Amino acid sequence: MVPGMIADRKPPPRRTQLDRREESDRRMLRAATKLFARQGVSGTSLAEVGLAAGYSRGLPVDRYGSKFGLIEALLDSMAAWFETRVADSVSGRRGVDAVLERIAAHVDGARKSPLATAALYAIYLESLAAMPALRPKVGALLERWRGELVVGLRQAQTSGEIRGDIDCEQHAAIILGALRGLVIEHLMADAETDLDAIRDAVAGLVRQAMVPPAARKVARR
Amino acid sequence: MVPGMIADRKPPPRRTQLDRREESDRRMLRAATKLFARQGVSGTSLAEVGLAAGYSRGLPVDRYGSKFGLIEALLDSMAAWFETRVADSVSGRRGVDAVLERIAAHVDGARKSPLATAALYAIYLESLAAMPALRPKVGALLERWRGELVVGLRQAQTSGEIRGDIDCEQHAAIILGALRGLVIEHLMADAETDLDAIRDAVAGLVRQAMVPPAARKVARR
Amino acid sequence: MVPGMIADRKPPPRRTQLDRREESDRRMLRAATKLFARQGVSGTSLAEVGLAAGYSRGLPVDRYGSKFGLIEALLDSMAAWFETRVADSVSGRRGVDAVLERIAAHVDGARKSPLATAALYAIYLESLAAMPALRPKVGALLERWRGELVVGLRQAQTSGEIRGDIDCEQHAAIILGALRGLVIEHLMADAETDLDAIRDAVAGLVRQAMVPPAARKVARR
Amino acid sequence: MVPGMIADRKPPPRRTQLDRREESDRRMLRAATKLFARQGVSGTSLAEVGLAAGYSRGLPVDRYGSKFGLIEALLDSMAAWFETRVADSVSGRRGVDAVLERIAAHVDGARKSPLATAALYAIYLESLAAMPALRPKVGALLERWRGELVVGLRQAQTSGEIRGDIDCEQHAAIILGALRGLVIEHLMADAETDLDAIRDAVAGLVRQAMVPPAARKVARR
DNA sequence: CATGAATGAGTATTCATTCAT
DNA sequence: TATGAATGAATACTCATTCAT
């Protein structure tokens, strides 16, 4: 029972409660992501999530209180992850440039984290009809994205990159709506639509609002 | 109590079995349309449909065999309705003209029959995750629409209206995917996106593939 | 429109209502027999019977009033058929001879009309637990069979063929009970038990009650 | 309010989860036994079982997964119980002695645990037509019983107790088939057949295969 | 922190039966 | 005679949730 020995032999397998909680959290959210992406939200039971994460049937409820709570937690974690991801790539850009970069970031998210993206859209779809209670939270997220696009479009309008008669609010909604439709199709219906083609098409929606370079000088004056 | 009157007043309360069936059919499909549009497919029980149609809980199953059968019947009736609708407006047009007209017809469908359109999209959404069994049927419908767009695009390509390097198959998929995303958004999330703006944006996706008029003559010659 | 011609051309396809009724009766009972034998009574729906007979879902109820009524009708027809069948083969025999012949007749019924026999036993099994309402009718049939066996055994007892201390009532019950168990097993569980072996074994139950030939003379005296 | 008293009066109301599970298991299986015996398997709903056991409608499904699962659990517990029961009484016996003892054990089971026996036979009957999925499990149990009888008959044949021309496999099937028919009749149709008479009759089926004592010496030599 | 026992509401589906044609 | 439309009750099964350990 020499103190030193104990320290040596069990380095510290003493994981704090916090560690355990964090790990189980991570594993449950990961499991939920995978299951939501594949089976949709309604099609996934809490018990399934717990078991897929390697825990018991009851843990998800114990941790998140309800199915709704789990979805919220997942939504939060995905939003945070996405936020930093986009912030990086867009930093420093302005106007049309920033808008195009944001679009590219969305498409890239779908490319690099198809599961997470599919899960996010599954939650979005669920919020449309089956679980209206999700609307506020999902809506806020989408609204934030739209708001950021609007900022870019307004800058572009001010600088004369895009036409003055464009309704930036609405144009941003259109860009994101089309993007959503195309990405959902790509991820969930085993569609062959190419992600690059999707990005280009949506970028086209931006260009379509742009002032032709030739005319631009006039606009600026 | 003139004999003649009696004959006049009770024309024939004798509804044939076919009449009864057709009426209950119509009423149940209408009820299902409304409920699917509002609550989604999973969120709507067969009992609800029967009762909303003014019949018993059990009638929908008795008539359509299963929830799946009801959805199929609804899908069929909607497809037929839409088909004739579009056929009318597009007849005689070719190339870009036909494509734009088809897009307008889709948007118009959403404007004039928002419930039916929302129900159709609700079924589409359901097929993505919760009820994969719907895929073949839903897929076939969407595929038909896409095929018809492809025809128009090919005509346009041949006549030099749109660029030769466009992949018509994929471009049709993009047009419809974006359209779907925008219409869903419009109908289901109480979005303020204007239907005209949606139509114009999607039309823009077509124009973006077009050869500029100036260059066109060269291409033709 | 010469009368003669009409008579010639349609000999009389004029089947009376009675004919039609009898034919549909026959076909429905045949269908019910087949289905009961294969799927049991509870496992067979009235609609199934009507359709299997080549008619509508509703005919069985229309004809027999209820599922119970159909079973009764079937039971009656089977009882009648069996009765004449056994009467023929047993006529003229008495005592042990008659008893053995009856046993053979039962086994033979199972051999020659396995479907009808299986259906009969399916109804018997149903009467045990799921449909107690069938008991009186089924019980009466079995009781009649037992009674006839008792007669034979009594004759045998009187003539000294079987021992005086045998309780004929009970012995008849045992013979039929064992027979039933074995035939059910043979028909319904795909058992390999040979029908001849079954007949011999049950015959053995009779012989076991017999006075050994050597001792018989004494008994007679 | 003496501290000691409190300790005494609340011994440990602390029932472990295992305790709870075992008790509810026991109570549900007991309830199922009673209900199956009285109303048959199809005639008994899972909700009924749960409520009869003093729990909720949903517990049986939660515990056993499905009606099939409940039946399997019941079958297992009954098989185990019966196995030990028979093992005791038969231990040490061989040949005809062992066979007769097994028969007696079956009859005794029906006498002492009529409910359990009736439930077992109800499941057997159900497996014949209504729930063919039960066949493998039920078949295996019956097959085990038959196999054990065969062993005894073979020993008897080797030692010259029974005739060499007897097909032991089939004879065992006949013994059990007859026994089943008679016990079912006794338990389920409120038949007056005496259990002792049943045992004697079935024992007679064994004796009928025996070599007469007089002849036996010859056979042995 | 984690497990799992127990509940109860909801839902598709089957089916005998009634009723209109 | 026969069909089939419509009803309503019953039932297995799913699942979020609550509660005890």
Side-chain angles (χ1 to χ4, degrees), chain C residues 164-176:
Chain C
D165 63 335
I166 293 288
D167 176 339
C168 291
E169 298 274 345
Q170 183 156 276
H171 210 71
I174 281 180
I175 288 169
L176 283 176

Side-chain angles (χ1 to χ4, degrees), chain B residues 118-139:
Chain B
L120 175 60
Y121 283 126
I123 296 174
Y124 162 68
L125 296 181
E126 205 75 8
S127 78
L128 291 178
M131 288 189 69
L134 287 171
R135 287 255 185 119
K137 196 117 195 171
V138 172

Side-chain angles (χ1 to χ4, degrees), chain B residues 99-141:
Chain B
V99 170
L100 293 177
E101 189 59 34
R102 274 184 194 282
I103 293 170
H106 278 272
V107 171
D108 246 49
R111 194 194 317 273
K112 295 195 183 139
S113 310
L115 241 45
T117 312
L120 175 60
Y121 283 126
I123 296 174
Y124 162 68
L125 296 181
E126 205 75 8
S127 78
L128 291 178
M131 288 189 69
L134 287 171
R135 287 255 185 119
K137 196 117 195 171
V138 172
L141 180 59

Side-chain angles (χ1 to χ4, degrees), chain C residues 93-188:
Chain C
R93 299 175 194 264
R94 290 177 48 85
V96 163
D97 242 29
V99 171
L100 293 177
E101 190 57 34
R102 274 185 193 280
I103 292 170
H106 277 273
V107 171
D108 247 50
R111 194 191 320 271
K112 294 193 181 141
S113 310
L115 239 46
T117 312
L120 175 60
Y121 283 126
I123 297 175
Y124 162 67
L125 296 182
E126 206 75 8
S127 78
L128 291 178
M131 291 189 65
L134 287 171
R135 286 256 185 118
K137 196 117 194 171
V138 173
L141 178 59
L142 301 187
E143 198 46 41
R144 194 154 63 243
W145 289 356
R146 195 175 70 102
E148 288 158 357
L149 269 199
V150 169
V151 168
L153 290 173
R154 288 249 167 80
Q155 293 168 344
Q157 208 166 35
T158 307
S159 72
E161 283 179 301
I162 67 171
R163 293 199 312 273
D165 63 335
I166 293 288
D167 176 339
C168 291
E169 298 274 345
Q170 183 156 276
H171 210 71
I174 281 180
I175 288 169
L176 283 176
L179 188 56
R180 219 144 37 225
L182 290 165
V183 171
I184 287 174
E185 185 87 4
H186 173 82
L187 289 173
M188 313 192 78

